[in-house]
Amino acid sequence: MHKTGGQSINNILENCVPSFQPFGYHYPSHMLPKNCTDLPIVGMVGNHCFFSDASQADFNTTLINLINLGANSTSSRSYRNTLIEVLPETLEGNQVVWLTKDCIRHFNYEDRG
C-alpha cells in the first residue's frame, strides 16, 4: 500500500543494513528477479479505506482482509473483483499503486497471505 512510511523505512534499511539492495518500489511480487524470490520482503500496510470496508473496520480487521486477499472466500473474491475493476491495464504511467488488473487476476495465494 502506498503512503504508509515506505520511503522512511527504505532510508533506514539503506543506511543501517550493509547488504540492503533495493529492487523496486511498489512493484508486484511477480516482477521480482528469480535470484531474489527467497529473500525477505519488507512491506508497509496502512488502514486504507478499501480494505477497511469504507473505514468501518479496525486495523486488525483491515490487515486480515489484506492477508486473506488471495483466499477463496466471498469477501476476498469481492475485494479482488473490485480491484480488477479499478486498477489500470498496464504499469505505464501508473506511479501510485504499481499494480495492474493482471496482478490481481492471477493472485491466489491462499497459503501465503
Side-chain angles (χ1 to χ4, degrees), residues 24-89:
Y25 207 74
H26 296 203
Y27 283 16
S29 61
H30 76 272
M31 292 180 68
L32 285 172
K34 297 260 188 260
N35 63 335
C36 295
T37 57
D38 291 336
L39 297 175
I41 295 173
V42 175
M44 301 295 294
V45 178
N47 195 3
H48 287 273
C49 189
F50 180 76
F51 290 102
S52 65
D53 299 322
S55 298
Q56 299 301 304
D58 61 17
F59 183 76
N60 288 341
T61 302
T62 300
L63 191 57
I64 289 168
N65 290 342
L66 281 165
I67 290 170
N68 291 325
L69 183 61
N72 191 23
S73 68
T74 302
S75 62
S76 295
R77 284 192 305 272
S78 176
Y79 285 129
R80 288 194 307 269
N81 288 337
T82 301
L83 282 170
I84 290 167
E85 287 177 22
V86 300
L87 288 171
E89 292 288 342

Side-chain angles (χ1 to χ4, degrees), residues 5-20:
Q7 288 180 334
S8 297
I9 297 297
N10 191 64
N11 290 339
I12 291 168
L13 290 171
E14 194 169 23
N15 291 316
C16 298
V17 179
S19 62
F20 176 71

